[in-house]
Amino acid sequence: MALSGCSLGQVGSAFKGFGWPEYGVSDQSHRMYDLWVGSVIAALVVGILVWGLIFWCVIRYRKRGEELPLQTRFNLPIELLYTIVPFLVIAVLFYYTATTQTYVDKISKNPDVKVEVVAFKWNWQFRYLDDNAKGADGQALDTTGTSDYIPVLVVPTNKNVLLYETSKDVIHSFWVPDLLFKRDVFPGNVVNKFQVTVQKEGAYVGRCAELCGAYHSMMNFELRAVSPDKYDRFIAARKQGMSTPDALQSIGEAPFATSTHPFNTDPTKRSAS
């Protein structure tokens, strides 16, 4: 009955990662995966040791008569062992957690690509902030989603992409499941940012992970990771006046999102689930 509530996918892959998804496509996601696997192995070792000692005591010191066993108090070596070993375990886990968190949150002084992520009810706008990504009017190239268009954020692989996040209304959350990472998007003068290095080309669905209103579940976008050469050609096509779909098509990519689709806003066209 317990297993019926689990979705293992490929069983071998699921157990290999102790439940942590292995489909992370960024350098940062791989570091988090390694931390998770190491922590679970450490927990299993400690658990096996503790349970082994418990069962050993149950068997070795089971009741053999009415005589009261020897009572040991103020055993300094044992007390030191009980204090030092847990401290060492926690210290090691804290070190690897802190170094991994620092790596995931690290931001380069000169990132290869800078993008502003603007969230609004209930869609996204992506603005390319690099100096070589300006249109004929001198403004930053951008892609804005609508009710019938899923916005596509195009990024190059194996490059440091710095994302600035801001919201026009309420709190949203920028989440790409394949990155194994999300970060909230706040309104006002709060600007969150993070850096990611996508290592694998592909189309990855993005979602809002913060309940933001009636159409929260439909607030999707797509992260399209392409080769650096294709990315440069995409930006060049946009600078020539092409729309995002036309520019994507010009570099041999699908013009529209393939990982998610627009929500049909016509209530007469929808059926009850």
Side-chain angles (χ1 to χ4, degrees):
M1 291 179 65
L3 289 177
S4 66
C6 302
S7 177
L8 295 178
Q10 296 180 351
V11 177
S13 177
F15 281 104
K16 180 181 177 181
F18 297 109
W20 185 274
E22 287 192 275
Y23 54 76
V25 297
S26 69
D27 188 30
Q28 291 79 1
S29 65
H30 296 164
R31 290 288 292 265
M32 291 185 285
Y33 174 82
D34 293 339
L35 173 64
W36 172 263
V37 171
S39 299
V40 174
I41 291 175
L44 288 174
V45 171
V46 173
I48 292 172
L49 176 62
V50 171
W51 279 101
L53 289 173
I54 290 174
F55 285 116
W56 179 74
C57 291
V58 169
I59 297 172
R60 175 66 178 80
Y61 298 105
R62 67 187 183 278
K63 185 176 181 180
R64 293 184 173 86
E66 298 302 326
E67 182 180 355
L68 187 66
L70 177 65
Q71 304 298 299
T72 302
R73 294 187 302 168
F74 308 114
N75 190 318
L76 185 59
I78 293 296
E79 292 177 356
L80 288 175
L81 179 67
Y82 288 163
T83 303
I84 294 175
V85 171
F87 175 81
L88 291 177
V89 172
I90 293 173
V92 171
L93 290 176
F94 177 82
Y95 169 78
Y96 283 106
T97 301
T99 54
T100 300
Q101 179 177 325
T102 301
Y103 183 82
V104 171
D105 284 335
K106 181 181 178 181
I107 295 178
S108 303
K109 292 183 178 179
N110 297 301
D112 300 306
V113 176
K114 294 180 289 185
V115 179
E116 181 184 34
V117 176
V118 182
F120 58 93
K121 293 195 293 189
W122 286 274
N123 224 307
W124 304 86
Q125 180 187 51
F126 305 119
R127 301 179 68 247
Y128 299 87
L129 302 181
D130 297 298
D131 293 335
N132 64 340
K134 297 183 184 297
D137 57 358
Q139 299 298 314
L141 300 173
D142 67 83
T143 298
T144 304
T146 62
S147 59
D148 57 357
Y149 171 67
I150 299 293
V152 179
L153 170 59
V154 183
V155 298
T157 56
N158 299 310
K159 297 289 185 179
N160 295 326
V161 180
L162 179 58
L163 299 171
Y164 299 90
E165 301 177 334
T166 184
S167 171
K168 290 185 176 180
D169 35 55
V170 298
I171 298 176
H172 300 278
S173 187
F174 182 92
W175 178 41
V176 179
D178 288 279
L179 298 181
L180 306 182
F181 182 87
K182 70 180 181 67
R183 179 146 289 173
D184 286 350
V185 187
F186 293 101
N189 58 358
V190 179
V191 178
N192 270 349
K193 57 184 177 180
F194 71 95
Q195 181 175 293
V196 66
T197 305
V198 183
Q199 298 178 321
K200 184 179 179 181
E201 294 183 27
Y204 308 106
V205 65
R207 308 186 187 280
C208 175
E210 184 74 26
L211 182 58
C212 58
Y215 292 98
H216 153 72
S217 62
M218 316 306 171
M219 189 174 166
N220 296 341
F221 64 94
E222 181 171 286
L223 177 71
R224 186 77 61 85
V226 299
S227 67
D229 176 63
K230 279 190 173 182
Y231 177 77
D232 291 339
R233 289 160 51 199
F234 167 78
I235 293 297
R238 289 298 316 276
K239 291 172 67 175
Q240 293 174 6
M242 289 189 185
S243 64
T244 296
D246 291 339
L248 283 170
Q249 196 166 31
S250 71
I251 62 173
E253 292 285 327
F256 299 102
T258 59
S259 59
T260 183
H261 303 284
F263 175 66
N264 190 345
T265 57
D266 183 358
T268 64
K269 302 296 183 181
R270 300 198 297 268
S271 59
S273 59

